[in-house]
Amino acid sequence: QVQLVESGGGLVQPGGSLRLSCAASGRIFSINDMGWYRQVPGKERELVATVTSGGSTNYADSVKGRFTISRDNAKNTVDLQMNSLKPEDTAVYYCNAYISYDYRGRYYWGQGTQVTVSS
């Protein structure tokens, strides 16, 4: 059984910062890509940022220069530092990871954490 547990969401004023964290636990042999996605009601879930096991990163255009994704391979964690937050960043943020065990792999999702940017 594999679990992804997110933390760090909350309410912040425009221009503020938040840091999201996600920890993977359970039966894990290896973790390939890890990332963060977000979703608002009535819209599809969208990519925010991803990071490979080697450290290569990819960002949505809307967050480039404001968000930074990082991971700790030893701890099986991935973080998202969000700066200069805007009201349009308000969403439920989900952690995602491709996890392998016993020669099998698939994508897992966390339960989501709410981020609200409002004055």
Side-chain angles (χ1 to χ4, degrees):
Q1 195 77 359
V2 172
Q3 275 191 318
L4 295 178
V5 178
E6 300 117 334
S7 61
L11 173 64
V12 64
Q13 292 187 342
S17 298
L18 278 177
R19 187 175 184 88
L20 305 182
S21 296
C22 173
S25 62
R27 292 187 168 189
I28 298 171
F29 175 73
S30 65
I31 303 178
N32 293 345
D33 291 356
M34 302 186 82
W36 290 92
Y37 291 71
R38 66 188 181 187
Q39 189 170 23
V40 297
K43 291 190 175 182
E44 291 188 354
R45 193 170 296 185
E46 65 175 10
L47 179 147
V48 176
T50 61
V51 58
T52 68
S53 56
S56 295
T57 58
N58 179 49
Y59 295 92
D61 287 343
S62 59
V63 307
K64 282 181 181 177
R66 301 187 298 121
F67 292 10
T68 303
I69 190 170
S70 60
R71 65 186 283 174
D72 185 326
N73 291 332
K75 296 181 178 179
N76 292 334
T77 59
V78 60
D79 292 347
L80 185 69
Q81 177 65 42
M82 304 184 293
N83 298 328
S84 302
L85 282 160
K86 304 175 181 180
E88 51 263 43
D89 295 317
T90 296
V92 178
Y93 283 70
Y94 296 91
C95 175
N96 173 265
Y98 189 88
I99 297 174
S100 297
Y101 178 82
D102 196 20
Y103 303 105
R104 299 176 184 178
R106 71 174 184 90
Y107 284 101
Y108 290 84
W109 291 94
Q111 80 284 359
T113 184
Q114 177 70 46
V115 171
T116 302
V117 184
S118 175
S119 55

